[in-house]
Coordinates of all heavy atoms in Angstrom, one line a residue:
N127 N 73.2 -20.2 -12.3 CA 71.9 -20.7 -11.8 C 71.7 -20.1 -10.4 O 72.5 -20.1 -9.5 CB 71.9 -22.2 -11.8 CG 71.9 -22.8 -13.1 OD1 71.5 -22.1 -14.1 ND2 72.2 -24.0 -13.2
E128 N 70.5 -19.7 -10.2 CA 70.0 -19.2 -8.9 C 69.6 -20.4 -7.9 O 69.1 -21.4 -8.4 CB 68.9 -18.2 -9.0 CG 69.2 -17.0 -9.8 CD 68.0 -16.1 -10.0 OE1 66.9 -16.6 -10.1 OE2 68.3 -14.8 -9.9
I129 N 69.9 -20.2 -6.7 CA 69.5 -21.2 -5.7 C 68.1 -21.0 -5.4 O 67.6 -19.9 -5.0 CB 70.4 -21.1 -4.4 CG1 71.8 -21.5 -4.8 CG2 69.8 -22.1 -3.4 CD1 72.8 -21.3 -3.6
I130 N 67.2 -22.0 -5.4 CA 65.8 -21.9 -5.1 C 65.7 -21.8 -3.6 O 66.1 -22.7 -2.9 CB 65.1 -23.1 -5.7 CG1 65.2 -23.3 -7.2 CG2 63.6 -23.1 -5.3 CD1 64.8 -22.1 -8.0
M131 N 65.1 -20.7 -3.2 CA 64.9 -20.5 -1.7 C 63.4 -20.5 -1.3 O 63.1 -20.7 -0.1 CB 65.5 -19.2 -1.3 CG 67.0 -19.0 -1.6 SD 68.0 -20.2 -0.6 CE 67.8 -19.5 1.0
I132 N 62.6 -20.4 -2.2 CA 61.1 -20.2 -1.9 C 60.3 -21.1 -2.8 O 60.6 -21.2 -4.0 CB 60.7 -18.8 -2.1 CG1 61.4 -17.9 -1.2 CG2 59.2 -18.6 -2.0 CD1 61.2 -16.4 -1.4
T133 N 59.3 -21.8 -2.2 CA 58.3 -22.5 -3.0 C 57.0 -21.7 -2.8 O 56.6 -21.5 -1.7 CB 58.2 -23.9 -2.5 OG1 59.4 -24.6 -2.8 CG2 57.0 -24.6 -3.3
I134 N 56.3 -21.4 -3.9 CA 55.0 -20.8 -3.9 C 54.1 -21.9 -4.1 O 54.0 -22.4 -5.2 CB 54.9 -19.7 -5.0 CG1 56.0 -18.6 -4.7 CG2 53.5 -19.1 -5.0 CD1 56.2 -17.7 -5.9
L135 N 53.3 -22.2 -3.0 CA 52.4 -23.4 -3.1 C 51.0 -22.9 -3.3 O 50.5 -22.1 -2.6 CB 52.5 -24.2 -1.8 CG 51.5 -25.3 -1.6 CD1 51.6 -26.3 -2.7 CD2 51.8 -25.9 -0.2
T136 N 50.4 -23.3 -4.4 CA 49.1 -22.9 -4.8 C 48.2 -24.2 -5.0 O 48.2 -24.9 -5.9 CB 49.1 -22.1 -6.1 OG1 50.0 -21.1 -6.0 CG2 47.7 -21.6 -6.5
P137 N 47.4 -24.4 -3.9 CA 46.3 -25.4 -4.1 C 45.2 -24.8 -5.0 O 44.9 -23.6 -4.9 CB 45.8 -25.7 -2.7 CG 46.0 -24.4 -2.0 CD 47.3 -23.8 -2.6
T138 N 44.7 -25.7 -5.9 CA 43.6 -25.1 -6.8 C 42.5 -26.1 -7.1 O 42.8 -27.4 -7.1 CB 44.3 -24.6 -8.1 OG1 43.3 -23.9 -8.8 CG2 44.9 -25.7 -8.9
Y139 N 41.4 -25.6 -7.4 CA 40.3 -26.5 -7.8 C 39.4 -25.6 -8.8 O 38.8 -24.6 -8.3 CB 39.4 -27.0 -6.7 CG 38.2 -27.8 -7.1 CD1 38.4 -29.1 -7.6 CD2 37.0 -27.3 -7.1 CE1 37.3 -29.8 -8.1 CE2 35.9 -28.0 -7.5 CZ 36.0 -29.3 -8.0 OH 35.0 -30.0 -8.5
N140 N 39.4 -25.9 -10.0 CA 38.6 -25.2 -11.1 C 38.8 -23.7 -11.0 O 37.9 -22.9 -11.0 CB 37.2 -25.5 -10.9 CG 36.8 -26.9 -11.4 OD1 37.6 -27.6 -12.1 ND2 35.7 -27.5 -10.9
R141 N 40.1 -23.3 -11.0 CA 40.5 -21.9 -11.0 C 41.4 -21.6 -12.1 O 42.3 -20.7 -12.0 CB 41.1 -21.5 -9.6 CG 40.2 -21.6 -8.4 CD 39.1 -20.6 -8.5 NE 38.3 -20.6 -7.2 CZ 37.1 -21.2 -7.2 NH1 36.6 -21.9 -8.2 NH2 36.5 -21.1 -6.0
R142 N 41.3 -22.2 -13.2 CA 42.2 -22.0 -14.4 C 42.3 -20.5 -14.7 O 43.5 -20.1 -14.9 CB 41.7 -22.8 -15.6 CG 42.5 -22.6 -16.8 CD 42.0 -23.3 -18.0 NE 42.7 -23.0 -19.2 CZ 42.8 -23.8 -20.2 NH1 42.3 -25.0 -20.2 NH2 43.5 -23.4 -21.3
N143 N 41.2 -19.8 -14.8 CA 41.3 -18.4 -15.2 C 42.1 -17.6 -14.2 O 42.8 -16.7 -14.6 CB 39.9 -17.8 -15.4 CG 39.2 -18.5 -16.6 OD1 39.9 -19.0 -17.5 ND2 37.9 -18.4 -16.7
L144 N 41.9 -17.8 -12.9 CA 42.6 -17.1 -11.9 C 44.1 -17.4 -11.9 O 44.9 -16.6 -11.6 CB 42.0 -17.3 -10.5 CG 40.5 -16.8 -10.4 CD1 40.0 -17.2 -9.0 CD2 40.5 -15.3 -10.5
L145 N 44.4 -18.7 -12.1 CA 45.8 -19.1 -12.1 C 46.6 -18.4 -13.2 O 47.8 -18.1 -13.1 CB 45.9 -20.6 -12.4 CG 45.6 -21.5 -11.2 CD1 45.6 -23.0 -11.6 CD2 46.5 -21.2 -10.0
S146 N 46.0 -18.1 -14.3 CA 46.6 -17.4 -15.4 C 47.1 -16.0 -15.0 O 48.2 -15.5 -15.4 CB 45.8 -17.3 -16.7 OG 44.7 -16.4 -16.5
N147 N 46.3 -15.3 -14.1 CA 46.8 -14.0 -13.6 C 48.0 -14.2 -12.7 O 48.9 -13.4 -12.7 CB 45.6 -13.3 -12.8 CG 44.5 -12.9 -13.7 OD1 44.7 -12.6 -14.9 ND2 43.3 -12.8 -13.1
L148 N 48.0 -15.2 -11.9 CA 49.1 -15.5 -11.0 C 50.4 -15.8 -11.8 O 51.5 -15.3 -11.5 CB 48.8 -16.6 -10.0 CG 49.9 -17.0 -9.0 CD1 50.5 -15.8 -8.3 CD2 49.4 -18.0 -8.0
Y149 N 50.2 -16.6 -12.8 CA 51.3 -17.0 -13.7 C 51.9 -15.7 -14.3 O 53.1 -15.6 -14.3 CB 50.8 -17.9 -14.8 CG 51.9 -18.2 -15.9 CD1 53.0 -19.0 -15.6 CD2 51.8 -17.7 -17.2 CE1 54.0 -19.3 -16.5 CE2 52.7 -18.0 -18.1 CZ 53.8 -18.7 -17.8 OH 54.8 -19.0 -18.7
K150 N 51.1 -14.8 -14.9 CA 51.6 -13.6 -15.5 C 52.4 -12.8 -14.5 O 53.4 -12.2 -14.8 CB 50.5 -12.8 -16.1 CG 49.8 -13.5 -17.3 CD 48.6 -12.7 -17.8 CE 47.8 -13.5 -18.8 NZ 46.5 -12.8 -19.1
S151 N 51.9 -12.7 -13.3 CA 52.6 -11.9 -12.2 C 53.9 -12.5 -11.9 O 54.9 -11.8 -11.7 CB 51.7 -11.9 -11.0 OG 52.3 -11.2 -9.9
L152 N 54.0 -13.9 -11.8 CA 55.2 -14.6 -11.4 C 56.3 -14.4 -12.5 O 57.5 -14.2 -12.3 CB 55.0 -16.0 -11.1 CG 54.1 -16.3 -9.8 CD1 53.8 -17.7 -9.7 CD2 54.9 -15.7 -8.6
V153 N 55.8 -14.5 -13.8 CA 56.7 -14.3 -14.9 C 57.4 -13.0 -14.9 O 58.5 -12.8 -15.3 CB 56.0 -14.6 -16.3 CG1 56.8 -14.2 -17.4 CG2 55.6 -16.1 -16.4
K154 N 56.7 -11.9 -14.4 CA 57.2 -10.6 -14.5 C 58.2 -10.3 -13.4 O 58.9 -9.3 -13.3 CB 56.0 -9.6 -14.3 CG 55.1 -9.5 -15.5 CD 54.0 -8.5 -15.2 CE 53.1 -8.4 -16.4 NZ 51.9 -7.5 -16.1
Q155 N 58.4 -11.2 -12.4 CA 59.3 -11.0 -11.3 C 60.7 -11.0 -11.8 O 61.1 -11.8 -12.6 CB 59.1 -12.1 -10.2 CG 57.7 -12.2 -9.6 CD 57.3 -10.9 -9.0 OE1 58.0 -10.3 -8.2 NE2 56.1 -10.4 -9.4
S156 N 61.5 -10.1 -11.3 CA 62.9 -10.0 -11.7 C 63.8 -11.1 -11.0 O 64.7 -11.5 -11.6 CB 63.5 -8.6 -11.3 OG 63.4 -8.4 -9.9
N157 N 63.4 -11.5 -9.8 CA 64.0 -12.6 -9.1 C 63.3 -13.9 -9.4 O 62.1 -14.0 -8.9 CB 64.2 -12.3 -7.7 CG 64.9 -13.3 -6.9 OD1 65.1 -14.5 -7.4 ND2 65.4 -13.0 -5.7
K158 N 63.9 -14.8 -10.1 CA 63.2 -16.0 -10.4 C 63.7 -17.2 -9.6 O 63.5 -18.4 -10.0 CB 63.4 -16.4 -11.9 CG 62.9 -15.3 -12.9 CD 61.5 -15.5 -13.2 CE 60.9 -14.8 -14.4 NZ 61.3 -13.5 -14.7
A159 N 64.2 -16.9 -8.4 CA 64.8 -18.0 -7.5 C 63.6 -18.6 -6.7 O 63.6 -18.5 -5.5 CB 65.9 -17.5 -6.7
F160 N 62.6 -19.1 -7.4 CA 61.5 -19.7 -6.7 C 60.9 -20.9 -7.5 O 61.2 -20.9 -8.8 CB 60.4 -18.7 -6.4 CG 59.8 -18.1 -7.7 CD1 58.8 -18.8 -8.3 CD2 60.2 -16.9 -8.1 CE1 58.2 -18.2 -9.5 CE2 59.7 -16.3 -9.3 CZ 58.6 -17.0 -9.9
D161 N 60.3 -21.8 -6.9 CA 59.5 -22.8 -7.5 C 58.0 -22.5 -7.3 O 57.6 -22.1 -6.2 CB 59.7 -24.2 -6.9 CG 61.0 -24.9 -7.4 OD1 61.3 -24.7 -8.6 OD2 61.6 -25.6 -6.6
W162 N 57.3 -22.6 -8.3 CA 55.8 -22.5 -8.2 C 55.2 -23.9 -8.3 O 55.3 -24.6 -9.3 CB 55.2 -21.6 -9.3 CG 53.7 -21.4 -9.2 CD1 53.0 -21.4 -8.0 CD2 52.8 -21.0 -10.2 NE1 51.7 -21.1 -8.3 CE2 51.5 -20.9 -9.6 CE3 52.9 -20.8 -11.5 CZ2 50.4 -20.5 -10.3 CZ3 51.8 -20.4 -12.3 CH2 50.6 -20.3 -11.6
M163 N 54.7 -24.4 -7.2 CA 54.1 -25.7 -7.1 C 52.6 -25.5 -7.1 O 52.0 -25.0 -6.2 CB 54.5 -26.5 -5.8 CG 53.9 -27.8 -5.8 SD 54.3 -28.7 -4.2 CE 56.0 -28.7 -4.2
I164 N 51.9 -26.1 -8.1 CA 50.5 -26.1 -8.2 C 50.0 -27.5 -7.8 O 50.4 -28.4 -8.5 CB 50.0 -25.7 -9.6 CG1 50.4 -24.3 -10.0 CG2 48.5 -25.9 -9.7 CD1 50.2 -23.9 -11.4
V165 N 49.1 -27.6 -6.8 CA 48.5 -28.9 -6.5 C 47.1 -28.7 -6.9 O 46.3 -28.0 -6.3 CB 48.6 -29.2 -5.0 CG1 48.0 -30.5 -4.7 CG2 50.1 -29.2 -4.5
D166 N 46.7 -29.5 -7.9 CA 45.4 -29.5 -8.5 C 44.6 -30.5 -7.8 O 44.8 -31.7 -7.9 CB 45.5 -29.8 -10.0 CG 44.2 -29.7 -10.7 OD1 43.1 -29.7 -10.1 OD2 44.2 -29.7 -12.0
D167 N 43.6 -30.1 -7.1 CA 42.7 -30.9 -6.3 C 41.5 -31.5 -7.1 O 40.3 -31.3 -6.7 CB 42.2 -30.1 -5.0 CG 41.6 -31.0 -4.0 OD1 42.1 -32.2 -3.7 OD2 40.6 -30.6 -3.4
G168 N 41.8 -32.0 -8.2 CA 40.8 -32.7 -9.0 C 40.0 -31.8 -9.9 O 38.8 -32.1 -10.2
S169 N 40.6 -30.7 -10.4 CA 39.9 -29.8 -11.3 C 39.3 -30.5 -12.5 O 39.8 -31.5 -13.0 CB 40.8 -28.7 -11.8 OG 41.3 -27.9 -10.7
T170 N 38.2 -29.9 -13.0 CA 37.5 -30.4 -14.2 C 37.4 -29.3 -15.2 O 36.7 -29.5 -16.2 CB 36.1 -30.9 -13.8 OG1 35.3 -29.8 -13.3 CG2 36.1 -32.1 -12.8
D171 N 38.2 -28.3 -15.1 CA 38.1 -27.1 -16.1 C 39.3 -27.1 -16.9 O 39.7 -26.0 -17.4 CB 37.9 -25.8 -15.3 CG 39.1 -25.5 -14.4 OD1 40.0 -26.3 -14.2 OD2 39.1 -24.3 -13.9
N172 N 40.0 -28.1 -17.1 CA 41.3 -28.2 -18.0 C 42.4 -27.3 -17.4 O 43.2 -26.8 -18.2 CB 40.9 -27.8 -19.4 CG 40.0 -28.8 -20.1 OD1 40.1 -30.0 -19.9 ND2 39.0 -28.2 -20.8
T173 N 42.5 -27.3 -16.1 CA 43.6 -26.6 -15.5 C 44.9 -27.2 -16.0 O 45.9 -26.5 -16.3 CB 43.5 -26.7 -13.9 OG1 42.3 -25.9 -13.5 CG2 44.7 -26.2 -13.2
K174 N 44.9 -28.5 -16.0 CA 46.2 -29.2 -16.4 C 46.7 -28.7 -17.8 O 47.9 -28.5 -17.9 CB 46.0 -30.7 -16.4 CG 47.2 -31.5 -16.8 CD 47.0 -32.9 -16.7 CE 48.3 -33.7 -17.1 NZ 48.2 -35.1 -17.0
D175 N 45.8 -28.5 -18.7 CA 46.2 -28.0 -20.0 C 46.9 -26.7 -20.0 O 48.0 -26.5 -20.7 CB 45.0 -27.9 -21.0 CG 44.4 -29.3 -21.3 OD1 45.0 -30.3 -21.1 OD2 43.2 -29.3 -21.6
A176 N 46.4 -25.8 -19.2 CA 47.0 -24.4 -19.1 C 48.4 -24.6 -18.4 O 49.4 -24.0 -18.9 CB 46.1 -23.5 -18.3
V177 N 48.5 -25.4 -17.4 CA 49.8 -25.5 -16.7 C 50.8 -26.2 -17.6 O 52.0 -25.8 -17.6 CB 49.6 -26.3 -15.4 CG1 50.9 -26.6 -14.7 CG2 48.6 -25.6 -14.4
M178 N 50.4 -27.2 -18.3 CA 51.3 -27.8 -19.2 C 51.9 -26.8 -20.3 O 53.1 -26.9 -20.6 CB 50.7 -29.0 -20.0 CG 50.3 -30.2 -19.1 SD 51.7 -31.0 -18.3 CE 51.3 -30.6 -16.6
E179 N 51.0 -26.0 -20.7 CA 51.5 -24.9 -21.7 C 52.5 -24.0 -21.0 O 53.5 -23.6 -21.6 CB 50.2 -24.1 -22.1 CG 50.6 -23.0 -23.1 CD 49.3 -22.3 -23.7 OE1 48.3 -23.0 -23.9 OE2 49.4 -21.1 -23.7
W180 N 52.2 -23.6 -19.8 CA 53.2 -22.7 -19.1 C 54.5 -23.5 -18.8 O 55.6 -22.8 -19.0 CB 52.6 -22.2 -17.7 CG 51.3 -21.5 -17.9 CD1 50.9 -20.7 -19.0 CD2 50.3 -21.4 -17.0 NE1 49.7 -20.2 -18.7 CE2 49.2 -20.6 -17.5 CE3 50.0 -22.0 -15.7 CZ2 48.0 -20.3 -16.9 CZ3 48.9 -21.7 -15.0 CH2 47.9 -20.9 -15.6
Q181 N 54.4 -24.7 -18.5 CA 55.7 -25.5 -18.3 C 56.5 -25.5 -19.6 O 57.7 -25.4 -19.6 CB 55.4 -26.9 -17.8 CG 55.0 -27.0 -16.3 CD 54.8 -28.4 -15.9 OE1 54.2 -29.2 -16.6 NE2 55.2 -28.7 -14.7
H182 N 55.8 -25.7 -20.7 CA 56.5 -25.8 -22.0 C 57.2 -24.4 -22.3 O 58.2 -24.4 -22.9 CB 55.4 -26.1 -23.1 CG 56.1 -26.3 -24.4 ND1 56.9 -27.3 -24.8 CD2 56.0 -25.4 -25.5 CE1 57.3 -27.1 -26.1 NE2 56.7 -26.0 -26.5
E183 N 56.6 -23.3 -21.9 CA 57.2 -22.0 -22.1 C 58.5 -21.9 -21.4 O 59.4 -21.2 -21.9 CB 56.3 -20.9 -21.7 CG 55.1 -20.7 -22.6 CD 54.1 -19.7 -22.1 OE1 54.3 -19.0 -21.0 OE2 53.0 -19.5 -22.7
G184 N 58.7 -22.5 -20.2 CA 59.9 -22.6 -19.5 C 60.4 -21.2 -18.9 O 61.5 -21.0 -18.7
L185 N 59.5 -20.3 -18.6 CA 59.8 -19.0 -18.1 C 60.1 -19.0 -16.6 O 60.8 -18.1 -16.1 CB 58.7 -18.0 -18.5 CG 58.5 -17.8 -20.0 CD1 57.3 -16.9 -20.3 CD2 59.8 -17.4 -20.7
I186 N 59.5 -19.9 -15.9 CA 59.7 -20.1 -14.5 C 59.7 -21.5 -14.1 O 59.3 -22.4 -14.9 CB 58.5 -19.4 -13.7 CG1 57.2 -19.9 -14.0 CG2 58.6 -17.9 -13.8 CD1 56.0 -19.4 -13.1
N187 N 60.2 -21.9 -12.9 CA 60.2 -23.2 -12.4 C 58.8 -23.5 -11.9 O 58.3 -22.8 -11.1 CB 61.2 -23.4 -11.2 CG 62.6 -23.1 -11.6 OD1 63.1 -23.6 -12.6 ND2 63.3 -22.3 -10.8
L188 N 58.2 -24.5 -12.5 CA 56.8 -24.8 -12.2 C 56.6 -26.3 -12.1 O 57.0 -27.1 -13.0 CB 55.9 -24.3 -13.4 CG 54.5 -24.6 -13.4 CD1 53.8 -24.2 -12.1 CD2 53.8 -23.9 -14.6
R189 N 56.1 -26.7 -11.0 CA 55.7 -28.1 -10.7 C 54.2 -28.3 -10.6 O 53.5 -27.4 -10.0 CB 56.3 -28.6 -9.4 CG 57.9 -28.6 -9.4 CD 58.5 -28.9 -8.1 NE 58.1 -30.3 -7.6 CZ 58.3 -30.7 -6.4 NH1 58.8 -29.9 -5.5 NH2 57.9 -31.9 -6.0
Y190 N 53.7 -29.3 -11.3 CA 52.3 -29.6 -11.2 C 52.0 -30.9 -10.7 O 52.6 -31.9 -11.1 CB 51.7 -29.5 -12.7 CG 50.3 -29.9 -12.7 CD1 49.3 -28.9 -12.4 CD2 49.9 -31.1 -13.2 CE1 47.9 -29.3 -12.5 CE2 48.5 -31.4 -13.4 CZ 47.6 -30.5 -13.0 OH 46.2 -30.8 -13.1
I191 N 51.2 -31.0 -9.7 CA 50.7 -32.2 -9.0 C 49.2 -32.3 -9.1 O 48.6 -31.4 -8.7 CB 51.2 -32.3 -7.5 CG1 52.7 -32.3 -7.4 CG2 50.6 -33.5 -6.8 CD1 53.4 -31.0 -7.3
Y192 N 48.7 -33.4 -9.6 CA 47.3 -33.7 -9.7 C 46.9 -34.7 -8.6 O 47.6 -35.7 -8.4 CB 46.9 -34.2 -11.0 CG 45.4 -34.5 -11.1 CD1 44.5 -33.5 -11.5 CD2 44.9 -35.7 -10.8 CE1 43.1 -33.7 -11.5 CE2 43.5 -36.0 -10.8 CZ 42.7 -35.0 -11.2 OH 41.3 -35.2 -11.2
K193 N 45.8 -34.4 -7.9 CA 45.3 -35.4 -7.0 C 43.8 -35.4 -7.1 O 43.2 -34.4 -7.6 CB 45.8 -35.1 -5.5 CG 45.3 -33.7 -5.0 CD 45.7 -33.5 -3.6 CE 44.9 -34.2 -2.5 NZ 43.4 -34.1 -2.7
H194 N 43.2 -36.5 -6.6 CA 41.7 -36.5 -6.6 C 41.2 -35.5 -5.6 O 41.9 -35.3 -4.6 CB 41.3 -38.0 -6.3 CG 41.6 -38.9 -7.5 ND1 40.9 -38.9 -8.7 CD2 42.5 -39.9 -7.6 CE1 41.4 -39.8 -9.5 NE2 42.4 -40.4 -8.9
N195 N 40.0 -35.0 -5.8 CA 39.4 -34.0 -5.0 C 39.3 -34.5 -3.5 O 38.7 -35.6 -3.3 CB 38.1 -33.6 -5.5 CG 37.5 -32.4 -4.7 OD1 36.8 -32.7 -3.8 ND2 37.9 -31.2 -5.1
G196 N 39.8 -33.7 -2.6 CA 39.8 -34.1 -1.2 C 39.6 -32.8 -0.3 O 39.6 -32.9 0.9
G197 N 39.6 -31.7 -0.9 CA 39.5 -30.4 -0.2 C 40.9 -29.7 -0.1 O 41.9 -30.3 -0.3
K198 N 40.8 -28.4 0.1 CA 42.0 -27.6 0.1 C 43.0 -28.1 1.1 O 44.2 -28.1 0.8 CB 41.6 -26.1 0.5 CG 42.7 -25.1 0.5 CD 42.2 -23.7 0.7 CE 43.3 -22.8 0.8 NZ 42.9 -21.4 1.0
H199 N 42.6 -28.5 2.3 CA 43.5 -28.9 3.3 C 44.4 -30.1 2.8 O 45.5 -30.2 3.1 CB 42.8 -29.2 4.6 CG 41.8 -30.3 4.6 ND1 40.6 -30.3 3.9 CD2 41.9 -31.6 5.0 CE1 40.0 -31.4 4.0 NE2 40.7 -32.2 4.7
T200 N 43.8 -31.0 2.1 CA 44.5 -32.2 1.6 C 45.5 -31.8 0.4 O 46.6 -32.3 0.3 CB 43.6 -33.3 1.1 OG1 42.8 -32.8 -0.1 CG2 42.6 -33.8 2.2
A201 N 45.1 -30.8 -0.3 CA 46.0 -30.3 -1.4 C 47.2 -29.6 -0.8 O 48.3 -29.8 -1.2 CB 45.2 -29.3 -2.3
L202 N 47.0 -28.8 0.3 CA 48.0 -28.1 1.0 C 49.0 -29.2 1.6 O 50.2 -29.1 1.5 CB 47.5 -27.2 2.1 CG 47.0 -25.9 1.6 CD1 46.3 -25.2 2.7 CD2 48.1 -25.0 1.0
N203 N 48.4 -30.2 2.3 CA 49.2 -31.3 2.9 C 50.1 -32.0 1.8 O 51.2 -32.3 2.1 CB 48.3 -32.2 3.7 CG 47.8 -31.6 4.9 OD1 48.3 -30.7 5.4 ND2 46.8 -32.2 5.4
T204 N 49.5 -32.3 0.7 CA 50.2 -32.9 -0.4 C 51.4 -32.0 -0.8 O 52.5 -32.5 -1.0 CB 49.3 -33.2 -1.6 OG1 48.3 -34.1 -1.2 CG2 50.0 -33.8 -2.8
G205 N 51.2 -30.8 -1.1 CA 52.2 -29.9 -1.5 C 53.3 -29.7 -0.5 O 54.5 -29.8 -0.8
I206 N 52.9 -29.5 0.7 CA 53.9 -29.4 1.8 C 54.8 -30.6 1.9 O 56.0 -30.4 2.1 CB 53.2 -29.0 3.2 CG1 52.6 -27.6 3.1 CG2 54.2 -29.2 4.4 CD1 51.6 -27.4 4.2
A207 N 54.3 -31.7 1.8 CA 55.1 -33.0 1.8 C 56.1 -33.1 0.7 O 57.1 -33.7 0.8 CB 54.1 -34.2 1.8
L208 N 55.8 -32.4 -0.4 CA 56.7 -32.5 -1.6 C 57.7 -31.3 -1.7 O 58.6 -31.3 -2.6 CB 55.9 -32.5 -2.8 CG 55.0 -33.8 -3.0 CD1 54.0 -33.6 -4.2 CD2 55.9 -35.0 -3.1
I209 N 57.6 -30.3 -0.8 CA 58.6 -29.2 -0.8 C 59.9 -29.7 -0.3 O 60.0 -30.4 0.7 CB 58.1 -28.0 0.0 CG1 56.9 -27.4 -0.6 CG2 59.2 -27.0 0.2 CD1 56.2 -26.4 0.3
T210 N 61.0 -29.5 -1.1 CA 62.3 -29.9 -0.7 C 63.1 -28.7 -0.2 O 63.0 -27.6 -0.7 CB 63.0 -30.5 -1.9 OG1 63.1 -29.6 -3.0 CG2 62.4 -31.8 -2.4
A211 N 63.9 -29.0 0.7 CA 64.7 -27.9 1.4 C 66.0 -27.7 0.6 O 66.4 -28.5 -0.2 CB 65.1 -28.3 2.8

């Protein structure tokens, strides 16, 4: 098992289609020693469904956090508070 050294923090709001491009890129990485943390800031475009599908695939470490819409800065603050060293 690789030691997780990096968290890729992605705040999002109604960007399901763009997130799929990022997911495909992360899956292609040869070094998988990272966590991808998506903080969903209240999306209404079924972002959660896509993320749940990716989590089920199990190709990368993926954490999904949903919060009510409060703006990008609140999504970033939520994610930063949840990153573990």
Side-chain angles (χ1 to χ4, degrees):
N127 290 339
E128 296 177 325
I129 297 173
I130 302 301
M131 299 294 292
I132 296 171
T133 298
I134 300 164
L135 174 56
T136 306
T138 189
Y139 177 75
N140 288 342
R141 297 290 186 261
R142 177 182 173 153
N143 293 338
L144 294 176
L145 285 175
S146 65
N147 291 334
L148 180 52
Y149 174 70
K150 291 172 190 173
S151 177
L152 293 174
V153 167
K154 290 179 183 177
Q155 300 305 306
S156 59
N157 184 341
K158 300 278 196 317
F160 61 84
D161 278 327
W162 184 23
M163 181 188 299
I164 298 172
V165 180
D166 184 345
D167 192 39
S169 294
T170 58
D171 67 349
N172 297 318
T173 293
K174 182 178 181 177
D175 296 338
V177 175
M178 294 298 113
E179 184 177 315
W180 301 332
Q181 281 183 323
H182 182 72
E183 289 176 4
L185 300 176
I186 58 173
N187 298 315
L188 174 54
R189 294 174 62 192
Y190 175 77
I191 294 93
Y192 178 88
K193 62 178 281 313
H194 292 287
N195 185 266
K198 181 178 179 180
H199 63 288
T200 64
L202 283 169
N203 289 339
T204 297
I206 291 167
L208 295 172
I209 293 173
T210 56

